[in-house]
């Protein structure tokens, strides 16, 4: 994720700051790949739609779950409207497959926050 954020910054001129646990974390490949793909899609959406200059992302290992938060300073959108975007639906579906949740909070003119919570053990 750190590498992808740096490469994304080079290609897009959007600064990405990524915070992650200091030590390596070994997790189920379904979870690590799923979180990476959600992160990748979120950054793609920022580049395509947000008109952002900065992205702050963090991956945290909590006692019972992973938490991935991606925040951009772009133009935002009305996240209360039903959205048929395949990218957003795909991100939600990935989170659901991992037994987790994905929420998107945004308002026009105020950027967007994507939050993914995935349990360490799928129930």
């Amino acid at each position: 994720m750190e590498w992808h954020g740096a490469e994304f910054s080079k290609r897009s001129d959007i600064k990405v700051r990524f915070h992650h646990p200091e030590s390596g974390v070994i997790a189920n490949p379904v979870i690590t790949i799923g979180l990476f793909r959600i992160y990748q899609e979120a950054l793609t959406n920022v580049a395509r739609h947000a008109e952002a200059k900065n992205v702050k992302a963090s991956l945290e290992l909590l006692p019972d779950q992973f938490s991935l938060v991606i925040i951009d300073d772009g133009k935002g959108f009305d996240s209360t409207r039903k959205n048929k975007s395949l990218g957003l639906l795909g991100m939600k579906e990935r989170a659901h497959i991992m037994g987790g949740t994905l929420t998107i909070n945004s308002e026009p003119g105020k950027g967007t926050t994507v939050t993914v919570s995935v349990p360490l053990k799928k129930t």
Side-chain angles (χ1 to χ4, degrees):
M1 287 181 168
E2 185 174 27
W3 172 85
H4 183 69
E7 291 299 309
F8 173 84
S9 289
K10 288 179 194 173
R11 290 189 315 270
S12 67
D13 286 331
I14 300 170
K15 183 178 180 180
V16 176
R17 290 191 338 219
F18 181 73
H19 173 75
H20 56 86
E22 290 299 320
S23 61
V25 176
I26 298 173
N28 180 325
V30 171
I31 292 173
T32 57
I33 292 168
L35 288 173
F36 177 78
R37 294 294 184 210
I38 290 170
Y39 180 62
Q40 194 174 39
E41 181 64 29
L43 291 181
T44 297
N45 287 342
V46 169
R48 286 184 183 158
H49 308 292
E51 299 175 13
K53 298 291 181 208
N54 299 285
V55 173
K56 291 189 294 187
S58 64
L59 177 66
E60 291 187 74
L61 176 60
L62 304 172
D64 60 345
Q65 68 182 1
F66 282 107
S67 175
L68 174 64
V69 179
I70 306 150
I71 303 168
D72 73 57
D73 64 356
K75 66 181 183 177
F77 64 97
D78 182 357
S79 62
T80 62
R81 281 187 43 224
K82 290 285 184 191
N83 195 318
K84 304 281 188 213
S85 160
L86 292 178
L88 298 180
L89 290 173
M91 290 169 33
K92 287 184 178 191
E93 180 64 22
R94 278 192 192 276
H96 180 73
I97 288 168
M98 295 182 290
T101 59
L102 182 138
T103 58
I104 300 168
N105 292 306
S106 188
E107 290 181 48
K110 297 189 177 183
T112 301
T113 301
V114 175
T115 304
V116 185
S117 298
V118 179
L120 291 176
K121 294 190 179 201
K122 187 174 173 187
T123 55

